[in-house]
Amino acid sequence: TDLPRSPPAAAEPRHASPAAPRRLREKLRTAARMAGPPAHTAPGSRLQVQGGERRAQPATGAPPARETRAPFRFDYERFRRSLRHPVRGRRPGEDPETRARRMKIKEMMKFAWDNYKQYALGKNELRPLTKNGHIGNMFGGLRGATVVDALDTLYIMELEEEFQEAKKWVEKSFDLNVNGEASLFEVNIRYIGGLLAAYYLTGEEVFKSKALELGEKLLPAFNTPTGIPRGVINLGRQDTRSLFSPCSGMSWSWGWASAGSSILAEFGTLHLEFLHLSELSGNPVMNIRKVLNRVEKPQGLYPNFLSPVTGNWVQHHVSIGGLGDSFYEYLIKSWLMSDKKDSEAKKMYDDALEAIERHLVKKSAGGLTYIAEWRGGILDHKMGHLACFSGGMIALGAEHAGEERKQHYVNLAAEITNTCHESYARSDTKLGPEAFRFDAGSEAMATRLSERYYILRPEVVESYMYMWRLTHDPKYRQWGWEVVKALEKHCRVEAGFSGIRDVYTTTPTHDNMQQSFFLAETLKYLYLLFCEDDVLSLDDWVFNTEAHPLPVNHTNFKA
């Protein structure tokens, strides 16, 4: 679904670019240049490098200016040799039922992709009822969100022909020379994450060059007094002539965000992807953590809104669901991605989880454990579908807690995952609502009409996948299979999969949207639930918040 937009007129004056983004910009430009040219240039022109900028020049007989060697090269072959497991696993003998269920999920992915390709290729998402494409306003003129989101899922599922179709579209049709306002968060997790994952899985240079070129376009969002980025970025061409012009490279905050603030889940969900942009370009990434470490945390909690100008909290609303969710996820995952060397991220995660457990984790009268929301000290006893990722996150962190705490966190993760399962089990469709509450005698059910919908979200099956990998309790596979059957019964339509408007009726109305994250996340996590543990092993890979696998940094791969 589209997010509200803030008009360009609402943008505040730009501030001088911090040194780190400027250095990274130059490195990204060079690395993108050496990795390969963009797919689109104007007819009759060529790209010429002048003073670190890329500008279209009229074609002449003279050869283009060219650097003879890259100052930095990532050694892909060495990286692949460092992996502890084959990307797609070794596939030892397995029981026929598990294989049949995995093949069913693969068929669902092929069905979703084939219909997108037939009716909406090049658009961002498929509208399966009307059999056309949807562009939306989150991506600043970028197209093909479903293509980029689907790349790694197609590859992992060994849908080779479909993967080549997607790769060909990226090579021939994915145009980055767009001019529009985009969500920094969404472009980062879907496009940057998807392109990086596709590169690391395949070694195809086109994915790396596109990721680096697009990463450069996101950097003006960091041009704030604190280095905390604003939420919206204009993706127009950015060179030194236009960097401060009103129509290019400008950023601003969401119009609905409190007092021009940046959102915790958005600026806190950049580290994994930008770390890998740095890895591939050879330049250190900017780090927003020093601001977060400095600012006072009420009760040890991180509120959802922070001023990018002052670096102070704007209001004290705390949520593990929307607005806050993936910030916490990226703390533990930053530590894992660093091969457990990023002790700062681990300490921030441990401290945050301790505060969450102390203030937000509650148990209902019926014995269900849930994570409430906190509004200036007053608890709101609801849990969003988005917060259901937390079972998997806590399980992932539990693996690396001290022995005395490990079982405690495994139990907490299992209890929260069970609560999220109950939100599915208590609906007529066996799919969960957007939010569910624990008040007025109702437990794990939506009590408001506006919260009854299901838009193919992945967070519950994400936690099933992690809980399966970490406990091998067969109930998680059974719960995942219940979701597969519900999706087939209630969300599959003639030309794809659609969200539904009310999970509490067995004849639901469809919302006519096949979300790109359904292919990136929901189907990938379901597929991995029925795979052996060495397929995208957690020893080698960390999933970004769009389920794009990024590698654990076992060593330095500078060539």
Side-chain angles (χ1 to χ4, degrees), residues 157-217:
M157 291 187 181
E158 300 181 58
L159 289 164
E160 307 291 356
E161 182 180 331
E162 292 79 6
F163 175 78
Q164 292 301 325
E165 292 166 352
K167 177 191 164 192
K168 181 179 178 182
W169 186 88
V170 172
E171 287 177 324
K172 306 292 186 188
S173 304
F174 185 35
D175 185 6
L176 300 183
N177 292 318
V178 296
N179 189 353
E181 55 194 75
S183 162
L184 173 68
F185 170 77
E186 295 290 352
V187 170
N188 178 61
I189 66 170
R190 300 196 201 205
Y191 286 94
I192 299 288
L195 292 165
L196 287 171
Y199 171 68
Y200 283 119
L201 290 171
T202 68
E204 297 282 357
E205 288 289 317
V206 63
F207 300 131
K208 180 174 79 170
S209 67
K210 293 285 187 183
L212 293 172
E213 189 180 351
L214 183 54
E216 176 191 334
K217 288 176 170 285

Side-chain angles (χ1 to χ4, degrees), residues 318-482:
V318 177
S319 169
I320 312 304
L323 306 180
D325 50 5
S326 45
F327 164 73
Y328 303 97
E329 172 191 356
Y330 270 38
L331 289 177
I332 189 65
K333 288 182 175 180
S334 294
W335 180 69
L336 293 170
M337 181 177 281
S338 72
D339 214 12
K340 304 172 190 171
K341 296 182 179 71
D342 186 349
S343 56
E344 179 185 56
K346 180 67 159 59
K347 184 179 188 317
M348 288 175 73
Y349 170 79
D350 289 342
D351 291 349
L353 184 58
E354 186 179 322
I356 287 165
E357 193 171 4
R358 186 183 314 119
H359 299 289
L360 305 183
V361 173
K362 301 295 173 184
K363 186 158 285 198
S364 71
L368 295 178
T369 301
Y370 62 98
I371 304 179
E373 297 191 2
W374 191 84
R375 298 176 187 276
I378 300 170
L379 287 183
D380 185 3
H381 296 273
K382 82 164 191 180
M383 192 167 172
H385 194 294
L386 287 165
C388 283
F389 85 96
S390 58
M393 176 189 75
I394 293 168
L396 199 56
E399 275 293 283
H400 310 283
E403 276 307 312
E404 72 286 353
R405 300 296 288 163
K406 178 174 179 178
Q407 194 56 50
H408 169 77
Y409 284 129
V410 168
N411 293 342
L412 177 60
E415 290 172 16
I416 291 170
T417 303
N418 177 67
T419 298
C420 291
H421 171 256
E422 284 297 316
S423 78
Y424 277 52
R426 297 181 186 196
S427 81
D428 297 66
T429 57
K430 306 305 175 190
L431 295 167
E434 180 70 4
F436 46 93
R437 294 180 179 269
F438 299 87
D439 51 26
S442 172
E443 294 198 358
M445 293 185 70
T447 58
R448 302 180 184 183
L449 286 173
S450 61
E451 296 171 344
R452 290 172 164 235
Y453 61 91
Y454 172 71
I455 57 172
L456 308 175
R457 286 206 190 276
E459 291 78 19
V460 173
V461 297
E462 174 183 357
S463 283
Y464 294 169
M465 189 278 290
Y466 281 114
M467 293 304 296
W468 163 256
R469 288 235 173 152
L470 298 169
T471 70
H472 292 120
D473 185 330
K475 74 181 180 187
Y476 296 113
R477 279 184 165 173
Q478 190 53 43
W479 291 354
W481 188 243
E482 291 169 7

Side-chain angles (χ1 to χ4, degrees), residues 34-341:
M34 301 313 294
H40 288 285
T41 51
S45 71
R46 69 170 192 272
L47 290 175
Q48 187 176 38
V49 179
Q50 291 185 349
E53 300 168 16
R54 196 186 292 110
R55 302 174 185 167
Q57 299 289 338
T60 68
R66 178 177 289 253
E67 295 183 36
T68 57
R69 65 183 179 86
F72 175 90
R73 187 171 72 83
F74 179 82
D75 190 337
Y76 182 79
E77 292 307 317
R78 189 172 160 218
F79 153 69
R80 283 303 292 253
R81 290 193 300 272
S82 79
L83 295 177
R84 295 166 184 178
H85 305 275
V87 171
R88 292 164 170 165
R90 293 184 176 84
R91 294 281 160 80
E94 59 185 342
D95 69 276
E97 181 183 72
T98 299
R99 185 181 187 282
R101 290 181 171 185
R102 188 174 69 246
M103 289 302 102
K104 173 58 187 173
I105 297 160
K106 179 176 178 177
E107 181 276 330
M108 293 166 72
M109 178 67 184
K110 179 170 169 51
F111 181 73
W113 170 262
D114 285 348
N115 280 284
Y116 168 77
K117 183 186 73 169
Q118 181 173 351
Y119 298 113
L121 183 64
K123 300 294 197 300
N124 283 324
E125 288 159 318
L126 166 68
R127 290 192 180 276
L129 270 64
T130 49
K131 298 181 181 178
N132 61 352
H134 171 74
I135 293 174
N137 61 17
M138 287 193 300
F139 305 122
L142 293 175
R143 300 289 187 264
T146 292
V147 178
V148 179
D149 253 353
L151 280 163
D152 51 16
T153 309
L154 294 171
Y155 181 82
I156 290 301
M157 291 187 181
E158 300 181 58
L159 289 164
E160 307 291 356
E161 182 180 331
E162 292 79 6
F163 175 78
Q164 292 301 325
E165 292 166 352
K167 177 191 164 192
K168 181 179 178 182
W169 186 88
V170 172
E171 287 177 324
K172 306 292 186 188
S173 304
F174 185 35
D175 185 6
L176 300 183
N177 292 318
V178 296
N179 189 353
E181 55 194 75
S183 162
L184 173 68
F185 170 77
E186 295 290 352
V187 170
N188 178 61
I189 66 170
R190 300 196 201 205
Y191 286 94
I192 299 288
L195 292 165
L196 287 171
Y199 171 68
Y200 283 119
L201 290 171
T202 68
E204 297 282 357
E205 288 289 317
V206 63
F207 300 131
K208 180 174 79 170
S209 67
K210 293 285 187 183
L212 293 172
E213 189 180 351
L214 183 54
E216 176 191 334
K217 288 176 170 285
L218 300 182
L219 293 176
F222 295 85
N223 296 344
T224 67
T226 60
I228 296 288
R230 302 185 193 278
V232 188
I233 175 74
N234 187 292
L235 294 177
R237 285 188 64 84
Q238 296 145 7
D239 56 33
T240 53
R241 294 169 303 172
S242 62
L243 193 58
F244 295 93
S245 74
C247 62
S248 179
M250 185 171 66
S251 67
W252 55 92
S253 298
W254 291 110
W256 48 267
S258 180
S261 56
S262 294
I263 296 164
L264 182 68
E266 298 199 344
F267 68 76
T269 310
L270 300 167
H271 189 79
L272 301 187
E273 295 83 2
F274 274 78
L275 203 64
H276 280 284
L277 290 175
S278 296
E279 178 81 4
L280 296 178
S281 65
N283 196 62
V285 72
M286 70 285 291
N287 191 339
I288 62 173
R289 286 202 210 129
K290 58 188 176 190
V291 177
L292 293 177
N293 277 333
R294 175 185 60 77
V295 68
E296 181 85 15
K297 269 79 70 181
Q299 310 291 322
L301 296 166
Y302 289 86
N304 290 339
F305 298 102
L306 185 84
S307 166
V309 176
T310 67
N312 294 320
W313 304 116
V314 173
Q315 58 166 258
H316 288 182
H317 173 212
V318 177
S319 169
I320 312 304
L323 306 180
D325 50 5
S326 45
F327 164 73
Y328 303 97
E329 172 191 356
Y330 270 38
L331 289 177
I332 189 65
K333 288 182 175 180
S334 294
W335 180 69
L336 293 170
M337 181 177 281
S338 72
D339 214 12
K340 304 172 190 171
K341 296 182 179 71

